[in-house]
Amino acid sequence: MTALGRHGFDVVIVGAGPAGASLAIRVARAGYSVALVDRAQFPRSKPCGEFMSPPCVPMLAELGLDVFDLDGGAARGHEVSGMRLSAFERGAVGRYRAVGRAAPPMTLGIGIRRELLDANLVDLARAQDGVTVLEGHAVLDLERERGGRIVGIRVREPDGMERTLRASVTVGADGLRSRVARSLGVVQPIPWLNRFALVTRYAGVDATDFGELHLFEGGYFAAVDVDAGLFTLNLVVDGASLPKGRAALDAMFDERLQRVPVLAERLRSARRFEPLRAYGPLGVRTKRQVFEGAVLVGDAAGYVDPMTGEGIYLALRGADLLTDALRVRFETGSERRAWRQYTRARRHEIAPKLAMSLLLQRAIRKPWLVERFARLVERRPGLLDFVVSLTGDYVPLREALRPGALVRAWSSS
Ligand SMILES: Cc1cc2nc3c(=O)[nH]c(=O)nc-3n(C[C@H](O)[C@H](O)[C@H](O)COP(=O)(O)OP(=O)(O)OC[C@H]3O[C@@H](n4cnc5c(N)ncnc54)[C@H](O)[C@@H]3O)c2cc1C
């Protein structure tokens, strides 16, 4: 079934970012028809720190995407084997290491421009039998039956015409400001987490093999070298502190940069490649993720600025978990059973990571704590390896909590 006609699709996915595109590929491979709908034309940009944690590489490879061989061999992601953490002019580089029995998949994170990653993933979805990709189609609302069950979406096509797309299951994978989640009435802002990002890229920065997180009072910079010889830099601050107007934003960015001398020094002879883009707020929760005829995944299901760059992993992993649930949905005919499985899996894998991100966000509001931590990891590099590894999305909580794991990290030099 691939027609837009009466019978519709098995699954319609709103949003072709990492969550939506990877879900489309997986669901079609399981034998179901999919419409993958995005209002953008790819390649499109997406404000992001552009760092992917280590397990993303094998997860994408499983889908058929080799991050070292993109655009037909013309592009490749930049390899990242750890993270530099600094605060108040103290800090060190931590590397991805084994923690207990959890070894890093390839010891590698990746820096990659989102327009490159996402467009390659959408191309892969387009080439997959059973997937119909509809770019330039803005979803306006959900289509409901009289009893309230969701049976598809209303879209505006590129020519301005509106039409209905029907499906057995409608997936909201439409990101942080999800129209699907809003239409379902489940969005809950996190008022105290009013964080905004100012995003840009530089050319002419000497590349390293680590990502960077520089904390200062009132915010942080996150940075990574990406493909094409560029360096992506995000400044994250409280929304209330953002001035109005481009010149004022630029001035604020430059002033904050001077608070992190090690970063300012690296950028001294570099050239700002793109204007700043402001984006936020960077935190949202949803009350529920499953509905009659619909389900949420990726940022649309909830997102907390994690600082350590885990959103893409959570989007890919969430799509994985949802694929399993959709199999149950179609094989048994029981939506209730499928959604119970998906909810349980999210509670087990995704919710703890979002909770940890909220905890981290609270912690960095205490400068004395941040400074003490920076001093500590400067003296205890093994401890920083441990912390960086925990943020790398490959260490299960049970391995991190194993007796001896922290002691080993503490005492290793
Ligand atoms: C400033 C910032 C920095 C970040 N840094 C990192 C990082 O370094 N590493 C990391 O892993 N994560 C990072 N993240 C998080 C990461 O970007 C997201 O978690 C990830 O993109 C989520 O993927 P997704 O597929 O759920 O949504 P998205 O990638 O947002 O994709 C959603 C898609 O839905 C489409 N869409 C939206 N509305 C509609 C509509 N009405 N109709 C049709 N289509 C629609 C959009 O065009 C878009 O293509 C960052 C986020 C921000 C904001």
Side-chain angles (χ1 to χ4, degrees):
M1 237 190 317
T2 53
L4 303 184
R6 241 164 356 111
H7 303 298
F9 294 86
D10 293 321
V11 181
V12 62
I13 302 172
V14 184
S22 64
L23 180 70
I25 296 165
R26 288 187 185 282
V27 170
R29 283 187 188 162
Y32 305 103
S33 65
V34 181
L36 178 62
V37 184
D38 204 294
R39 65 181 171 201
Q41 298 279 356
F42 288 78
R44 60 102 178 87
S45 66
K46 153 82 176 83
C48 187
E50 310 202 305
F51 165 76
M52 283 198 301
S53 59
C56 296
V57 177
M59 287 169 98
L60 290 168
E62 197 187 308
L63 294 172
L65 194 75
D66 179 354
V67 294
F68 303 113
D69 182 14
L70 296 165
D71 278 359
R76 54 177 286 135
H78 178 84
E79 297 165 35
V80 174
S81 66
M83 188 79 68
R84 179 185 181 90
L85 179 85
S86 90
F88 306 103
E89 300 189 40
R90 299 188 162 273
V93 176
R95 302 284 175 184
Y96 298 119
R97 305 262 189 239
V99 174
R101 276 174 281 191
M106 295 172 66
T107 332
L108 287 181
I110 295 292
I112 188 164
R113 286 173 306 131
R114 285 295 298 273
E115 54 266 44
L116 177 67
L117 172 70
D118 293 18
N120 274 265
L121 209 46
V122 168
D123 282 345
L124 201 63
R126 208 190 320 276
Q128 173 66 47
D129 276 352
V131 179
T132 303
V133 175
L134 299 169
E135 295 175 68
H137 284 63
V139 173
L140 304 172
D141 208 348
L142 297 170
E143 186 73 10
R144 291 177 164 88
E145 274 180 352
R146 201 170 295 135
R149 183 179 179 81
I150 290 130
V151 290
I153 51 176
R154 292 284 307 158
V155 292
R156 188 185 304 116
E157 298 182 312
D159 61 6
M161 296 287 285
E162 286 184 24
R163 78 188 303 168
T164 300
L165 272 181
R166 293 178 76 83
S168 304
V169 178
T170 298
V171 179
D174 48 342
L176 196 54
R177 280 195 269 281
S178 167
R179 182 172 283 263
V180 174
R182 273 184 283 141
S183 176
L184 289 163
V186 292
V187 176
Q188 291 182 312
I190 311 173
W192 66 267
L193 192 65
N194 182 30
R195 293 290 213 181
F196 274 66
L198 296 177
V199 183
T200 187
R201 293 187 188 127
Y202 286 78
V205 181
D206 288 338
T208 65
D209 70 336
F210 48 81
E212 300 182 40
L213 183 64
H214 302 280
L215 297 150
F216 56 85
E217 195 162 351
Y220 66 88
F221 281 99
V224 73
D225 295 287
V226 294
D227 58 284
L230 296 174
F231 179 77
T232 301
L233 183 59
N234 283 3
L235 166 64
V236 178
V237 290
D238 267 338
S241 69
L242 278 186
K244 289 215 161 43
R246 180 157 301 283
L249 283 178
D250 277 329
M252 178 196 193
F253 191 86
D254 291 340
E255 187 277 323
R256 295 296 191 276
L257 200 51
Q258 297 315 312
R259 297 189 190 185
V260 186
V262 60
L263 187 58
E265 183 53 37
R266 272 195 82 192
L267 297 179
R268 190 171 302 282
S269 54
R271 173 171 61 84
R272 176 97 59 83
F273 188 73
E274 289 167 342
L276 288 178
R277 281 185 298 165
Y279 193 75
L282 303 179
V284 73
R285 273 192 284 233
T286 53
K287 279 186 272 188
R288 278 172 64 193
Q289 298 80 42
V290 296
F291 311 85
E292 277 187 59
V295 58
L296 300 173
V297 70
D299 280 7
Y303 175 70
V304 175
D305 165 25
M307 293 189 304
T308 45
E310 289 157 66
I312 300 171
Y313 167 77
L314 291 177
L316 294 173
R317 185 64 191 137
D320 234 354
L321 300 176
L322 182 52
T323 306
D324 292 343
L326 287 170
R327 275 180 198 276
V328 172
R329 158 73 181 78
F330 291 119
E331 282 168 16
T332 67
S334 170
E335 185 173 271
R336 185 186 289 245
R337 198 163 139 191
W339 288 173
R340 212 183 303 127
Q341 174 180 316
Y342 181 58
T343 305
R344 208 179 307 124
R346 285 188 59 88
R347 199 178 302 133
H348 185 67
E349 284 201 42
I350 311 268
K353 287 196 170 284
L354 296 181
M356 185 56 76
S357 298
L358 279 174
L359 202 68
L360 270 179
Q361 287 293 334
R362 290 218 184 260
I364 63 166
R365 282 159 190 254
K366 300 186 175 24
W368 62 268
L369 187 64
V370 172
E371 187 169 12
R372 237 178 240 190
F373 182 71
R375 273 176 197 277
L376 183 64
V377 297
E378 218 175 43
R379 289 199 320 266
R380 299 270 173 195
L383 185 63
L384 187 55
D385 288 346
F386 180 72
V387 171
V388 166
S389 301
L390 294 192
T391 66
D393 296 322
Y394 61 87
V395 182
L397 201 58
R398 64 173 184 282
E399 289 297 334
L401 296 177
R402 212 175 262 280
L406 188 59
V407 177
R408 261 193 305 280
W410 181 269
S411 48
S412 67
S413 56

